[in-house]
Amino acid sequence: MLRILSLKFGRVYRCGKFLFIVAFFVILLMNTHNLFASFQRNELTDRRFIGLNKCPACFGTSWCRKFMNGQVTFEMWGRLRFLDFFNVKNVYFAQYGEPREGTRRVVLKRLGSNQELAEIDQKICKRATGRPRCDLIQGMYKTEFAQLNGDVRLLTPEVVEGWSDLVHCPSQRLLDRVVRRYAETKDSGSFLLKNLKDTERMQLLMTLAFNPEPLVLQSFPSDEGWPFAKYLGACGRMVAVNYVGEELWSFYNAPWEKRVDLAKQLMDIAEQLTNNDFDFALYLLDVSFDNFAVGPRDGKVIVVDAENIIVADKRLIKQNKPENYDVWYESRYEECDKEACLSFSKDILCSRVTVDHNYYAICQNLLSRFATWRGTTGGLLHDPPANLVKDGRLTALLDQCTRPQKQYGRFQAAKELREYLTELTQLSNTNR
């Protein structure tokens, strides 16, 4: 019986694969004219394609000269517009060239799906006119994005609190940092909002409300050691960031020694974002194999999707002393029927000084046997060598980091896991 079912399934799979290939070539034939046209022109010089015609309802203009001069070009597959159907996240790979520096790979992001971008246009129009459609440029000047005019000196917490994860619980110190490091102005370096032009101010506020990822990358730059991709610039509704490398998922079946090194780096990221000299805790709310990448040369792990990050100011928490602020908070493990699930309370993350959320997120969704992604289970540290299985320490630490059996057990387990992974990494380097 099983043999018959296996044969039937095999035939269905081959038939489905054949139909997919046929459908793909049919689409190619139907788009032959557009196909040749796509290779002949650089759509990244088209104002409408990159959304420059929608400014100031956009993300910035600092890279517009590079786009308009043809210095940024799609890589081959990125030029085929009919493939956009599969590119739901609107993320593209491109080449950026400088006369003296040559070309390098960059990543272009629209910061949302087509539907999400259309929805923000509708929201702007509804706030401005009460209708879902309007002259977007004129509409921007009738929204809250334009109300903070040149007479407003500072960007304050009560104005933007709750607009996005970045400012779920903003402090004045955080907002000053965001304004001072805003890269879409020629006069960056000042925390005074009034020093920005009206259009720059509206672009900053729209980015903060729609998708604050560019502001996270600017406020916590890779040049200062933060584990994020480097922000390069924007033109209209297209943002450019540095290409880091292949996504973490590509290393799921890498040699054991490589996976141990990556796991150690992930735990180091969890520690850095939780405890640092700046007293800002950056909590990762969306942790999956697709949101991290690995450098091809240095093997460094980097966060490549920084949209869903809460920034809590520990200095402000200590100053305001909300209820139970000094009680350690341990995230609760909860079973979920979806991939990359996390359980958390944004309000608690914003009101406690000591929180284990980042350790919990990395262990549960990436490292431990409880991690699930693309139909797999077992996490990045699956199938350890026989001697480690027999020893049992690694499995025990991963389990305690994910599902601690005693109060505050995850804090100790995370510390010991980092140390143990460091030992394993050093041992691997010694044996080479």
Side-chain angles (χ1 to χ4, degrees):
M1 183 65 179
L2 291 175
R3 173 72 174 171
I4 294 173
L5 289 174
S6 177
L7 290 172
K8 286 184 177 180
F9 179 79
R11 293 194 192 101
V12 170
Y13 174 77
R14 287 192 295 272
C15 182
K17 189 175 180 181
F18 174 75
L19 290 174
F20 175 81
I21 294 173
V22 170
F24 180 78
F25 278 103
V26 168
I27 294 173
L28 276 179
L29 290 172
M30 291 174 63
N31 288 271
T32 301
H33 176 74
N34 294 334
L35 187 66
F36 286 113
S38 296
F39 282 104
Q40 290 175 344
R41 67 175 182 271
N42 181 4
E43 289 180 298
L44 293 176
T45 62
D46 185 332
R47 294 172 60 90
R48 296 184 64 85
F49 180 79
I50 61 177
L52 182 57
N53 62 311
K54 297 195 174 187
C55 287
C58 65
F59 307 125
T61 57
S62 64
W63 256 43
C64 282
R65 180 173 294 181
K66 302 179 190 299
F67 275 87
M68 294 300 114
N69 287 345
Q71 292 175 259
V72 187
T73 56
F74 279 130
E75 292 185 351
M76 186 179 73
W77 295 112
R79 299 183 183 187
L80 305 179
R81 294 280 62 80
F82 70 90
L83 292 180
D84 288 346
F85 175 79
F86 304 100
N87 187 10
V88 179
K89 292 186 176 181
N90 279 326
V91 176
Y92 307 89
F93 296 105
Q95 291 291 324
Y96 163 62
E98 284 283 359
R100 297 180 180 179
E101 300 177 5
T103 60
R104 58 182 168 123
R105 201 179 199 189
V106 297
V107 178
L108 304 180
K109 299 183 177 185
R110 292 191 190 273
L111 300 183
S113 65
N114 292 337
Q115 181 179 345
E116 290 169 332
L117 290 164
E119 286 175 355
I120 196 168
D121 288 350
Q122 292 176 5
K123 288 179 181 178
I124 290 172
C125 288
K126 284 182 179 179
R127 290 173 183 175
T129 67
R131 298 188 303 274
R133 293 186 178 183
C134 68
D135 184 315
L136 199 61
I137 296 176
Q138 292 184 6
M140 274 291 285
Y141 285 91
K142 298 178 181 179
T143 66
E144 66 270 33
F145 300 135
Q147 291 173 2
L148 296 177
N149 54 38
D151 297 329
V152 179
R153 184 170 179 269
L154 297 174
L155 183 62
T156 55
E158 58 268 19
V159 173
V160 298
E161 183 175 357
W163 280 17
S164 60
D165 287 334
L166 174 61
V167 288
H168 185 79
C169 50
S171 65
Q172 190 60 58
R173 187 166 70 101
L174 171 64
L175 295 180
D176 288 348
R177 185 184 183 94
V178 169
V179 176
R180 184 171 63 249
R181 292 165 178 256
Y182 186 51
E184 293 300 320
T185 176
K186 294 181 180 179
D187 299 320
S188 59
S190 172
F191 62 87
L192 297 177
L193 195 66
K194 67 178 185 179
N195 288 347
L196 299 179
K197 297 177 182 178
D198 289 344
T199 54
E200 295 170 345
R201 198 178 304 114
M202 285 188 279
Q203 289 163 6
L204 185 155
L205 294 173
M206 180 182 153
T207 306
L208 189 62
F210 178 65
N211 184 333
E213 179 177 0
L215 302 178
V216 173
L217 305 186
Q218 295 165 35
S219 301
F220 303 94
S222 60
D223 293 345
E224 297 178 8
W226 294 96
F228 299 114
K230 183 176 181 179
Y231 181 82
L232 299 175
C235 185
R237 291 190 172 177
M238 194 74 81
V239 167
V241 300
N242 194 43
Y243 172 74
V244 173
E246 291 187 49
E247 61 186 25
L248 182 63
W249 176 247
S250 301
F251 296 85
Y252 185 80
N253 289 314
W256 172 252
E257 293 77 13
K258 179 64 176 180
R259 288 185 281 132
V260 168
D261 175 62
L262 297 177
K264 174 194 174 297
Q265 291 189 59
L266 288 165
M267 290 302 292
D268 287 344
I269 288 175
E271 174 65 21
Q272 179 186 6
L273 297 183
T274 304
N275 300 303
N276 51 71
D277 294 337
F278 301 95
D279 276 340
F280 283 119
L282 285 71
Y283 297 118
L284 302 168
L285 305 186
D286 184 7
V287 175
S288 72
F289 281 89
D290 286 353
N291 291 344
F292 296 82
V294 181
R297 295 181 180 177
D298 57 10
K300 188 175 181 181
V301 179
I302 295 294
V303 180
V304 292
D305 188 338
E307 176 183 0
N308 302 113
I309 292 180
I310 278 184
V311 180
D313 190 335
K314 292 186 178 183
R315 294 182 190 176
L316 183 65
I317 296 173
K318 293 174 184 177
Q319 177 184 322
N320 291 344
K321 299 181 180 180
E323 183 179 2
N324 295 325
Y325 81 98
D326 55 350
V327 177
W328 289 16
Y329 178 72
E330 190 166 51
S331 303
R332 290 178 55 187
Y333 170 84
E334 293 184 4
E335 293 187 6
C336 177
D337 58 357
K338 297 181 180 180
E339 294 183 328
C341 288
L342 289 175
S343 173
F344 54 83
S345 165
K346 293 182 181 181
D347 292 338
I348 290 180
L349 296 180
C350 287
S351 60
R352 301 288 182 95
V353 174
T354 307
V355 178
D356 68 354
H357 173 83
N358 285 333
Y359 313 128
Y360 152 70
I362 295 296
C363 285
Q364 174 170 306
N365 284 6
L366 299 179
L367 304 185
S368 75
R369 61 190 176 94
F370 303 99
T372 59
W373 189 247
R374 297 187 184 179
T376 66
T377 58
L380 187 64
L381 295 176
H382 65 87
D383 300 319
N387 63 313
L388 295 183
V389 174
K390 185 177 180 179
D391 175 67
R393 184 183 175 192
L394 178 62
T395 301
L397 288 174
L398 288 170
D399 284 354
Q400 284 298 310
C401 186
T402 305
R403 301 179 68 174
Q405 299 302 308
K406 59 182 180 180
Q407 189 176 30
Y408 306 137
R410 185 180 287 116
F411 291 96
Q412 184 62 30
K415 178 177 180 296
E416 293 183 20
L417 180 59
R418 286 182 66 217
E419 294 171 352
Y420 189 44
L421 291 173
T422 300
E423 291 176 18
L424 294 177
T425 302
Q426 292 173 345
L427 184 62
S428 299
N429 292 335
T430 302
N431 294 334
R432 286 180 181 176

